[in-house]
Amino acid sequence: MIRIVLMIKLSGNLHLMGVSIKHGTTAIIPPKEPVYLEGPKSRSYELGFAFRVFWQFLKGFRTLHFTGPCITVFGSARFKEDNIYYANARGFGKRIAELGFATMTGGGPGIMEAANRGAFENGGVSIGCNIQLPFEQKPNTYLNKSITFEHFFVRKVILVKYSYAFIIMPGGFGTMDEFFEILTLVQTKTVTNFPIVLFGKEYYKPLMEMIEWMVERGTISKEDLSLVLLTDDEDEAMNHIQTYVKSNYKVKSRKRFWWLLEKR
């Protein structure tokens, strides 16, 4: 296994993964303790890890069971309020609330904050599924419900599980990871063929050209291009989502059981 750690010069010793290093350096991004992908561990550790993961899933299921149908908005955490995509995401949050759906995001700043804000300010349900990170990610202030997860894979399951459509705003590695994860699930029919909107023609033009090149090379089918709507128009995006969801699904209320401590 090859491990790469970014280092900067600081005075004092470094304690990394329980090992003291006396070279006057420390990690820019503190490593998570323990790192669960570094290979086999003891049976007791693996069992404990499995229970911790189960507990995270259970927490997510309990928190969101009565939320109702959601539309998830993905995008960069780094855009500020003066960015045009922030304004677009805020508009989507407002439109999602008007449609009667909850707005779900990763719960952080940037695009996530904007979508939550649009829903929150217009009387909609605003949900954030946050992640424990050593940098960048803190819950925004426009949330009705907020859950913080320890692992990305648990968070991604929850972001997909309760959503009937996905809006992919401009973003970085995390957004691309979420986009291709959802696209793969829909393409392989692992989940229902929910609408996927890729918003930002100029931003995503190189990506779409790459996808079209993949079609030419035969690594994906031409029909796969129809799984994504690329647009710059909020009306077109919401009409695409509304037409599909309202013609295919009917919202049913869930019964609450007092003996499961389910609050009204």
Side-chain angles (χ1 to χ4, degrees):
M1 177 180 294
I2 299 175
R3 184 181 303 163
I4 301 175
V5 181
L6 297 177
M7 313 294 285
I8 56 174
K9 288 285 183 179
L10 288 176
S11 59
N13 298 338
L14 167 65
H15 294 272
L16 179 61
M17 300 298 290
V19 179
S20 179
I21 301 175
K22 299 180 179 181
H23 297 298
T25 59
T26 191
I28 291 178
I29 301 176
K32 182 174 173 52
E33 178 69 51
V35 179
Y36 72 97
L37 289 180
E38 67 175 1
K41 295 181 179 293
S42 68
R43 292 178 180 85
S44 61
Y45 171 83
E46 303 289 25
L47 180 63
F49 172 74
F51 275 116
R52 289 195 301 274
V53 170
F54 170 74
W55 179 252
Q56 288 182 63
F57 276 120
L58 186 62
K59 180 175 67 172
F61 297 158
R62 291 277 292 178
T63 302
L64 299 177
H65 188 67
F66 297 104
T67 297
C70 304
I71 294 175
T72 298
V73 181
F74 297 107
S76 175
R78 304 186 183 192
F79 289 139
K80 305 301 181 184
E81 191 171 349
D82 59 355
N83 187 283
I84 182 60
Y85 293 124
Y86 185 104
N88 293 138
R90 188 175 176 183
F92 275 125
K94 179 177 184 294
R95 301 282 290 272
I96 292 169
E98 292 171 348
L99 195 60
F101 283 72
T103 298
M104 181 179 285
T105 76
I111 293 296
M112 296 173 281
E113 175 187 287
N116 288 134
R117 181 177 179 180
F120 189 87
E121 292 177 338
N122 291 277
V125 178
S126 177
I127 302 168
C129 297
N130 221 297
I131 187 72
Q132 293 178 12
L133 288 178
F135 63 97
E136 193 173 88
Q137 186 88 338
K138 294 180 181 179
N140 65 67
T141 58
Y142 301 100
L143 300 172
N144 300 120
K145 292 185 179 180
S146 179
I147 320 169
T148 300
F149 297 102
E150 184 179 358
H151 300 296
F152 275 106
F153 66 89
V154 178
R155 180 188 188 222
K156 284 198 291 183
V157 169
I158 300 299
L159 284 168
V160 173
K161 178 177 174 63
Y162 296 95
S163 291
Y164 287 70
F166 305 93
I167 300 174
I168 318 295
M169 303 292 293
F173 290 150
T175 303
M176 293 299 95
D177 174 43
E178 291 150 348
F179 169 56
F180 282 108
E181 173 91 10
I182 294 164
L183 190 55
T184 300
L185 291 174
V186 172
Q187 180 204 43
T188 58
K189 303 187 186 304
T190 304
V191 299
T192 304
N193 187 17
F194 293 126
I196 303 173
V197 174
L198 200 60
F199 190 86
K201 285 186 176 181
E202 180 182 359
Y203 186 87
Y204 281 119
K205 181 181 178 182
L207 177 63
M208 292 306 296
E209 290 175 348
M210 178 63 188
I211 292 175
E212 290 169 358
W213 183 80
M214 292 165 69
V215 172
E216 294 175 3
R217 293 286 174 165
T219 54
I220 61 173
S221 301
K222 187 175 181 179
E223 293 75 22
D224 293 336
L225 296 177
S226 65
L227 299 177
V228 179
L229 171 67
L230 176 65
T231 183
D232 274 329
D233 189 331
E234 290 182 34
D235 291 331
E236 182 182 14
M238 293 307 299
N239 288 337
H240 175 67
I241 292 172
Q242 184 172 357
T243 300
Y244 181 87
V245 173
K246 293 223 167 180
S247 62
N248 287 280
Y249 298 98
K250 182 179 180 181
V251 178
K252 295 182 180 180
S253 59
R254 296 182 183 274
K255 187 176 181 180
R256 299 173 187 264
F257 298 102
W258 65 267
W259 47 272
L260 289 177
L261 304 178
E262 294 172 341
K263 299 179 181 179
R264 292 189 177 277

